Amino acid sequence: MAELQEVQITEEKPLLPGQTPEVAKEAELAARILLDRGQTHSVETPYGSVTFTVYGTPKPKRPAILTYHDVGLNYKTCFQPLFQFGDMQEIIQNFVRVHVDAPGMEEGAPVFPVGYQYPSLDQLADTIPCILQYLK
């Protein structure tokens, strides 16, 4: 039977020791994106309180990405897989994102009282200018 021989393996791109500044900067950016929990806000509208979460820092002369989830979802269940996808990272680092939750769809939302009239789709759309005004 042949004897096992010890082999030295050196990494071409070490993970930590001797990282180049560019690699360290990319790793820091990736960690910031993954750890960013966003800032959650609530604003009163003519149709009730609307919760939205802002991710990222506004950049001069760059528009924001505003999302509004689908029926029965919230921003996390609807958009989190999209924005965690690897190819979206360049977009995430260059644009601020505003995720709007329809009334009662945010995590931990209370049950609506008996007789509550849920806003129509047009009324839900009318809440967006209130959010934009709040954000200036």
Side-chain angles (χ1 to χ4, degrees):
M1 194 186 271
E3 283 188 36
L4 295 177
Q5 295 180 4
E6 192 169 317
V7 177
Q8 288 287 347
I9 299 175
T10 56
E11 298 177 350
E12 287 183 31
K13 295 182 181 179
L15 295 177
L16 294 176
Q19 275 187 340
T20 63
E22 296 84 22
V23 172
K25 195 176 213 179
E26 287 177 19
E28 181 183 337
L29 177 63
R32 245 185 321 128
I33 289 168
L34 289 173
L35 296 174
D36 187 6
R37 304 246 188 268
Q39 296 177 348
T40 301
H41 306 272
S42 289
V43 65
E44 284 300 321
T45 72
Y47 308 105
S49 180
V50 175
T51 302
F52 59 96
T53 306
V54 179
Y55 287 88
T57 305
K59 305 229 185 321
K61 299 186 180 186
R62 294 248 173 125
I65 297 173
L66 188 134
T67 66
Y68 210 113
H69 59 83
D70 203 356
V71 176
L73 302 173
N74 61 30
Y75 87 89
K76 285 184 179 179
T77 55
C78 193
F79 294 107
Q80 199 167 34
L82 172 67
F83 285 105
Q84 287 181 344
F85 188 66
D87 291 345
M88 291 296 290
Q89 299 313 302
E90 186 172 344
I91 292 171
I92 287 173
Q93 64 186 332
N94 289 303
F95 293 92
V96 66
R97 294 169 288 141
V98 179
H99 298 291
V100 180
D101 279 327
M105 297 297 133
E106 67 275 8
E107 289 184 352
V111 176
F112 292 117
V114 175
Y116 176 78
Q117 179 68 37
Y118 200 80
S120 68
L121 288 178
D122 287 337
Q123 291 169 330
L124 290 173
D126 289 341
T127 65
I128 293 173
C130 298
I131 294 167
L132 297 178
Q133 183 178 13
Y134 178 88
L135 293 172
K136 296 178 178 137

